[in-house]
């Protein structure tokens, strides 16, 4: 059995920005999205969405430039450098604009093997009205949403 090592402070800080799981039921939905803060705008697409968050496929060549292949750590570091304070997601040509926090980065998924993915949580769950704006409809009972 190996010795347990203390996690370096920089690694602890990096990992603290990328943890958690989505609380709401997920639905596959492909929407164009722009992820922004005061310094940068990055093109992406939704892979899936729920009332509590979304998984984005980052496909902006400018943001992905100079990343070594499909390496996740450089992508994670770039996300942290640009979006450590969170981001604003502009869905479907700005039909809906919502503040989000980064939960984690990952790669892969159906139809996106090796592609960098960014999981984010809405600062507040989507309302039924906001669900409709992005192509989801609230169910008659409960808080889950269905694809239109």
């Amino acid at each position: 059995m190996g010795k347990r090592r203390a996690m370096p402070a920089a690694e602890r800080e990096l990992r603290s920005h990328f943890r958690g799981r989505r609380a709401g039921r997920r639905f596959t939905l492909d929407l164009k999205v722009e992820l922004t803060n005061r310094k940068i705008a990055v093109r992406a697409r939704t892979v899936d969405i729920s009332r509590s968050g979304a998984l984005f496929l980052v496909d902006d060549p400018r943001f992905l430039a100079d990343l070594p292949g499909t390496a996740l750590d450089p992508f994670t570091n770039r996300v942290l450098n640009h979006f450590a304070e969170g981001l604003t997601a502009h869905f479907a040509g700005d039909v809906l604009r919502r503040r989000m926090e980064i939960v984690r980065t990952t790669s892969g998924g159906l139809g996106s093997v090796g592609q960098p993915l960014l999981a984010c949580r809405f600062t507040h769950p989507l309302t039924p009205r906001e669900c409709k704006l992005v192509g989801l409809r609230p169910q008659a009972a409960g808080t889950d949403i269905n694809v239109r």
Side-chain angles (χ1 to χ4, degrees):
M1 195 159 136
K3 288 185 177 182
R4 192 171 181 180
R5 70 174 177 87
M7 189 181 301
E11 186 176 344
R12 256 193 330 274
E13 172 69 14
L14 180 64
R15 288 177 184 266
S16 74
H17 290 280
F18 303 104
R19 64 174 173 241
R21 296 284 185 243
R22 183 118 34 93
R25 186 171 168 203
R26 301 171 188 204
F27 295 92
T28 301
L29 188 62
D30 183 18
L31 291 172
K32 290 182 181 180
V33 181
E34 188 173 63
L35 308 174
T36 66
N37 65 17
R38 285 177 250 164
K39 300 176 185 174
I40 192 168
V42 175
R43 288 191 318 257
R45 301 188 74 79
T46 57
V47 173
D48 63 41
I49 191 168
S50 72
R51 287 192 67 203
S52 59
L55 180 63
F56 300 108
L57 168 63
V58 178
D59 58 1
D60 191 323
R62 295 169 301 145
F63 191 73
L64 300 174
D66 303 324
L67 288 179
T70 58
L72 189 56
D73 285 345
F75 173 71
T76 300
N77 286 323
R78 188 164 292 173
V79 167
L80 179 61
N81 288 337
H82 290 287
F83 296 114
E85 301 298 319
L87 54 90
T88 301
H90 305 258
F91 291 89
D94 225 13
V95 165
L96 176 66
R97 184 183 309 176
R98 284 298 302 272
R99 194 76 187 130
M100 300 187 85
E101 302 166 340
I102 296 167
V103 176
R104 63 188 162 87
T105 62
T106 188
S107 66
L110 296 175
S112 58
V113 176
Q115 295 285 333
L117 302 172
L118 180 60
C120 296
R121 172 178 38 238
F122 294 113
T123 53
H124 304 318
L126 292 178
T127 65
R129 180 184 167 280
E130 291 169 327
C131 289
K132 289 178 185 176
L133 288 174
V134 295
L136 304 169
R137 65 172 193 263
Q139 286 184 329
T143 58
D144 281 346
I145 49 182
N146 288 328
V147 175
R148 203 188 305 166

